[in-house]
Amino acid sequence: MSYEVQDSTLVNLYALDKLRDFTLSYMRGLGATEEEAEIISDGLMTASQWWHPGQGQGLEKLFRYTRRVKNGGIVPDAPMTWLRDAPSYALLDAAKGFGYVAAQRAMRRAVEKAKTSGIAMVGVRHSNHFGIAGYHALTAAKAGLIGWAMTNAAAEMAPWGSAKVVLGTNPWGLAIPRSADHAIVLDMALTMSGKGMMRWYERERRPMPDNWALTPAGQPTTDPSAAMKGPLLPIGEYKGYGLSLFTDVLAGVMTGALFGLDVFQDDRNFDVGHMLVAINPSAMMSQSDFDRRLEELVSQVKGAPPIDSERPVMLPGEVEFGRMDERRAAGIPVARETVAQLRALSAEIGVRCDL
């Protein structure tokens, strides 16, 4: 089975090590510490292997980091501070630092606490875009714990029944460790799609699905250009709206970050909020019992007969890990436009770019 997505904007396939080395050098050139460069590079490489380039979560994120480091919206080596630190919870002030770094520090702290307390949640305020939520959830799964990562985001979704945007895509990442296989990983925005994929459809001059977004007047459309200034539609209709609201309470209201209409609006002060949760399965039963019972459930799910024999039933994350294996073997695709812009930006900050 092929997990790859082909499109006409892809130009070259790059080896993972080549892209990682470039990203590390680029981040150092922006002033990131070695720890920050390592975390961000690992996150961007994971996104590049998992996701469609149109989603803009890979090397495309370097454009935003460059702009915002230069304007003061992101502070390299930010003086992050633990404001609260109890046995089962903590709160981190990210001090306008890199969101990837703040969320990783928070999840690692949650994992450390949950190993003793059974469950722990760590909030983050005054942060920035934290990358793909599944990356942070997977950090817990790699340590043998269940991970849940959520963040608020720029207002792009309207409350159900309105066409005025108020809430963000507010992504979730959930990861469940397995003893002898890839973790089960669900990484999703709470909207049917994001503006990045709509822009990709716009560039490709292709109609988008009619359940992705509305026009500013609140009308359904398959024209990405007509929908670009309208609201994104939530997953599951009113249910996705409810989940987005819930997320903004936990990640925004409760952490002391901005929320709703205010978060992400000032390019020099996004003040994003995150919530990272780690759950220790052994708090409820022995690890071996959990592993056995989980695999029984997986067998039931995977044993369900597919409607289409060419499309077998898959676990959340299975497509992404399959795509990761293919891209590690064949190379990671990067768009022509992205490569050209990275070469220009690299020259500006004095970093060598061999892409």
Side-chain angles (χ1 to χ4, degrees), residues 312-328:
V313 174
M314 306 187 82
L315 296 171
E318 198 168 351
V319 168
E320 288 76 20
F321 284 119
R323 189 178 292 133
M324 176 178 279
D325 289 341
E326 286 194 359
R327 289 182 176 178
R328 285 187 174 180

Side-chain angles (χ1 to χ4, degrees), residues 42-51 55-58 61 65 100 103-104 129-138 149 151 171-173 185 187-188 320:
D42 192 48
L44 296 185
M45 291 305 96
T46 300
S48 295
Q49 293 172 86
W50 277 3
W51 293 119
Q55 290 169 300
Q57 296 293 341
K61 277 286 173 280
Y65 296 159
Y100 257 119
Q104 273 295 290
H129 184 280
F130 80 172
I132 54 174
Y135 174 76
H136 304 295
L138 189 58
T151 184
W172 284 18
V185 180
D187 185 306
M188 64 177 187
E320 288 76 20

Side-chain angles (χ1 to χ4, degrees), residues 89-284:
Y89 64 87
L91 177 62
L92 178 66
D93 184 334
K96 298 175 69 172
F98 290 105
Y100 257 119
V101 176
Q104 273 295 290
R105 289 181 182 177
M107 182 56 91
R108 291 171 185 176
R109 183 64 63 97
V111 166
E112 176 187 339
K113 292 178 181 298
K115 287 182 177 179
T116 301
S117 64
I119 183 170
M121 60 191 303
V122 179
V124 182
R125 66 170 65 163
H126 306 328
S127 188
N128 282 290
H129 184 280
F130 80 172
I132 54 174
Y135 174 76
H136 304 295
L138 189 58
T139 294
K142 288 177 178 178
L145 278 66
I146 296 169
W148 180 15
M150 67 185 91
T151 184
N152 61 9
E156 293 181 310
M157 177 201 297
W160 190 247
S162 175
K164 176 180 170 56
V165 298
V166 175
L167 298 166
T169 59
N170 295 359
W172 284 18
L174 295 153
I176 302 170
R178 295 177 67 192
S179 57
D181 210 328
H182 288 301
I184 300 170
V185 180
L186 176 62
D187 185 306
M188 64 177 187
L190 299 180
T191 50
M192 291 297 293
S193 181
K195 291 289 179 72
M197 279 303 296
M198 287 169 57
R199 292 188 188 97
W200 182 82
Y201 272 82
E202 188 177 40
R203 288 195 300 271
E204 292 288 301
R205 296 177 180 156
R206 294 171 55 181
M208 69 182 193
D210 63 3
N211 64 345
W212 278 15
L214 303 175
T215 67
Q219 298 301 309
T221 183
T222 60
D223 181 355
S225 298
M228 200 59 71
K229 293 184 179 180
L232 298 177
L233 287 171
I235 60 171
E237 299 184 338
Y238 63 89
K239 297 176 184 179
Y241 150 59
L243 292 176
S244 181
L245 177 63
F246 172 84
T247 303
D248 218 352
V249 171
L250 290 183
V253 175
M254 200 166 81
T255 62
L258 294 178
F259 50 84
L261 291 169
D262 298 321
V263 67
F264 259 77
Q265 297 309 303
D266 181 352
D267 200 50
R268 293 175 174 81
N269 184 36
F270 273 5
D271 198 355
V272 184
H274 320 309
M275 187 62 72
L276 294 303
V277 180
I279 303 167
N280 190 345
S282 63
M284 297 292 170

